[in-house]
Amino acid sequence: MSTEAAPDEAVDPRTSSAFLVNESLGYLVPAALRAAAVVGVADHLADGPRTPAELAAATRTDARNLHRVLRLLATRGIFEEDDSGRFRLTSAGDTLRSDAPCSARTAVLMNTDRSMWLPTADLSRCVSEGTSAFEHLFGLPFFEYFAQDEETADVFHCGMAAMSDAENEPIAAACDFPPTGTVVDVGGGHGGFLLAVLDRHPGLRGILYDRPHVLAGARLDTPGTAGRWSTASGDFFSGVPEGDVLVLKRIMHDWEDDQCVTLLERCRAALAPGGRLLVVDAVVPPGNAPHQAKALDLLLMAALVGRERTEPEFAGLFEAAGLKLSRVVPTSTVLSVVEAVAA
């Protein structure tokens, strides 16, 4: 008897062909989702089901084509069409409303923006040349382009804030913060995560560190955080403010390994004695199971220069920067807390 592994179960070529053709059409779902988000159709379903004609009148769109978009999204459980031809929002699609708690609308608009969408159509360039497709299409690297295109930058930062809103509280709950001290959120955007941390830990102070134009959207000014936070601006590759706990949330995956080592070195220099660095990012799991990190990794490959990383890859970057990985704390989100201390 042979001891070799059994081959995959034989599949009729016609079945395989139909499967692959169907997979190749998958991009039409996010395209339809973007169309629905752009015209704000979900906002007009908050009070109950409506016909495509009613929705078209409310959104000033074409009824027939809007119906076709909603029909496809109904196959993914975002909307549901009843026997009378009216559409309603499902619980899965409810946060497409702009006024929903933890609204995903601006995150959808960011993920499907042309700055993200167009590079992914050129993944073959990334594979062939080992480089991002973004600069070839837009003439500048990702963040340099954003620096001179205020409208696109606003889409990105608002979208990132929306992506974070649903995950900030559970991640803050999973992190081990000291009762007192200073937390520095490096590249912390509008401050949603730092706000969740300060709300949970009244003895902590926080510093939100980012570029000046990003800090203009800071939302830390609440009664519960009064007097316990400040902002600081600068380039985190040059230096970061000192603190007892430094946080890098969804930052390292934007950059190449050598850039990450530079950033980590700046963080190590800014750590108070006994301090800790918390890298909040997806950790790519082994095996063939689906994970959002495996999909987002391709978006990063196409549009930026970074990548999602495995636990050993994080450990290697920490070691190169004079840090050591102390533990990885999973959360109820797709992100984990990768904790490092001075080596």
Side-chain angles (χ1 to χ4, degrees):
M1 179 182 295
S2 172
T3 58
E4 294 180 359
D8 290 343
E9 183 178 345
V11 176
D12 186 317
R14 290 169 295 186
T15 302
S16 172
S17 179
F19 167 75
L20 293 176
V21 168
N22 190 58
E23 288 290 287
S24 73
L25 294 172
Y27 68 95
L28 293 169
V29 174
L33 187 58
R34 176 175 181 81
V38 166
V39 303
V41 66
D43 289 355
H44 299 281
L45 291 171
D47 296 327
R50 303 178 75 175
T51 67
E54 291 169 337
L55 290 169
T59 58
R60 299 182 179 180
T61 56
D62 180 83
R64 183 177 65 174
N65 287 345
L66 181 60
H67 176 258
R68 296 159 78 179
V69 166
L70 297 177
R71 181 173 60 189
L72 176 61
L73 294 176
T75 69
R76 303 302 291 259
I78 297 168
F79 300 96
E80 184 177 81
E81 185 177 11
D82 63 24
D83 292 339
S84 66
R86 297 187 305 167
F87 284 88
R88 72 171 186 88
L89 266 177
T90 65
S91 57
D94 187 62
T95 58
L96 193 57
R97 292 188 294 112
S98 58
D99 61 347
C102 298
S103 173
R105 181 173 179 264
T106 54
V108 168
L109 292 175
M110 176 192 70
N111 287 333
T112 59
D113 185 77
R114 64 190 301 273
S115 61
M116 304 289 189
W117 187 277
L118 294 181
T120 60
D122 208 12
L123 280 178
S124 59
R125 176 182 298 275
C126 305
V127 172
S128 299
E129 301 178 6
T131 186
S132 163
F134 189 94
E135 188 169 354
H136 172 75
L137 291 168
F138 293 96
L140 289 170
F142 187 84
F143 287 111
E144 289 183 31
Y145 179 81
F146 278 19
Q148 56 86 48
D149 187 323
E150 185 176 337
E151 183 177 346
T152 303
D154 187 60
V155 169
F156 176 78
H157 291 298
C158 290
M160 285 304 301
M163 281 187 68
S164 297
D165 280 345
E167 64 192 22
N168 284 334
E169 176 56 34
I171 294 173
C175 293
D176 181 21
F177 288 101
T180 61
T182 299
V183 177
V184 183
D185 195 350
V186 179
H190 292 170
F193 180 68
L194 185 57
L195 177 61
V197 171
L198 295 180
D199 280 343
R200 292 185 65 87
H201 302 277
L204 289 176
R205 297 181 59 84
I207 299 174
L208 181 63
Y209 182 65
D210 215 310
R211 296 286 194 175
H213 69 279
V214 180
L215 293 174
R219 47 190 175 120
L220 286 165
D221 192 12
T222 68
T225 61
R228 293 195 293 125
W229 65 275
S230 61
T231 62
S233 63
D235 176 3
F236 52 47
F237 289 118
S238 298
V240 301
E242 294 182 359
D244 300 284
V245 179
L246 271 60
V247 176
L248 292 170
K249 182 172 181 287
R250 290 191 183 269
I251 299 296
M252 282 183 57
H253 70 177
D254 290 341
W255 304 99
E256 285 276 21
D257 287 354
D258 58 343
Q259 295 167 307
C260 285
V261 171
T262 298
L263 173 56
L264 291 171
E265 289 173 340
R266 302 295 180 262
C267 290
R268 187 190 185 285
L271 279 177
R276 289 174 293 128
L277 172 65
L278 306 182
V279 174
V280 182
D281 251 327
V283 177
V284 181
N288 301 316
H291 192 280
Q292 189 186 88
K294 297 177 182 180
L296 188 58
D297 187 46
L298 297 192
L299 179 60
L300 296 168
M301 179 174 74
L304 289 97
V305 294
R307 61 182 57 83
E308 302 290 8
R309 294 179 170 89
T310 64
E311 183 176 334
E313 287 172 331
F314 278 113
L317 293 177
F318 291 155
E319 182 178 1
L323 297 159
K324 63 179 180 181
L325 192 155
S326 53
R327 59 176 177 164
V328 177
V329 181
T331 75
S332 59
T333 76
V334 299
L335 305 181
S336 293
V337 182
V338 188
E339 184 178 287
V341 296

